[in-house]
């Protein structure tokens, strides 16, 4: 009888150790998933903010030939001002 009780106690200890290892594995895997999810969300937000910053602060310089008339330059400026993607048009002559 004593042998059976001792054997059952050993089985319980082994089961308890196995259970403890499962809990540890579960905690580590859950932590890894949450960290990766946080990195993905952070990356998406950072990319969105960077995209908006670039769109708002992009400067384009256009250099025209010397033989372009003032009428053509004004027409080009008017056309560019009407575009929804242009915020500010500055014409600087020589």
């Amino acid at each position: 009888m004593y042998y059976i009780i001792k054997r059952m106690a050993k089985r319980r200890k082994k089961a308890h150790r196995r259970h403890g290892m499962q809990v540890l594995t579960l905690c580590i895997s859950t932590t890894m998933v949450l960290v990766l999810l946080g990195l993905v969300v952070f990356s998406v937000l950072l990319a969105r903010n960077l995209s908006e910053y670039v769109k708002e602060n992009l400067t384009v310089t256009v250099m025209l030939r010397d033989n372009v008339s003032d009428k053509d330059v004004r027409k080009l400026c008017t056309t560019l001002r009407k575009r929804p993607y242009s915020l500010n048009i500055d014409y600087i002559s020589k």
Side-chain angles (χ1 to χ4, degrees), residues 51-90:
S51 174
E52 288 177 12
Y53 176 79
V54 169
K55 286 179 186 176
E56 292 174 358
N57 295 317
L58 182 67
T59 301
V60 177
T61 303
V62 178
M63 300 183 82
L64 303 173
R65 293 184 183 163
D66 290 335
N67 60 358
V68 177
S69 67
D70 286 339
K71 182 180 176 184
D72 291 336
V73 171
R74 279 186 258 123
K75 185 177 178 182
L76 177 65
C77 288
T78 306
T79 305
L80 289 175
R81 281 190 182 101
K82 290 179 182 177
R83 301 292 178 164
Y85 51 79
S86 62
L87 179 66
N88 189 15
I89 304 293
D90 294 326

Side-chain angles (χ1 to χ4, degrees), residues 2-13:
Y2 176 73
Y3 176 73
I4 295 173
I5 294 174
K6 192 173 180 182
R7 194 169 159 198
M8 288 175 63
K10 282 185 181 181
R11 284 184 184 170
R12 285 185 191 154
K13 283 183 182 179

Side-chain angles (χ1 to χ4, degrees), residues 16-30:
H16 183 66
R17 282 188 211 141
R18 221 178 304 136
H19 178 69
M21 193 61 125
Q22 289 174 349
V23 169
L24 179 66
T25 305
L26 178 67
C27 288
I28 290 173
S29 62
T30 304

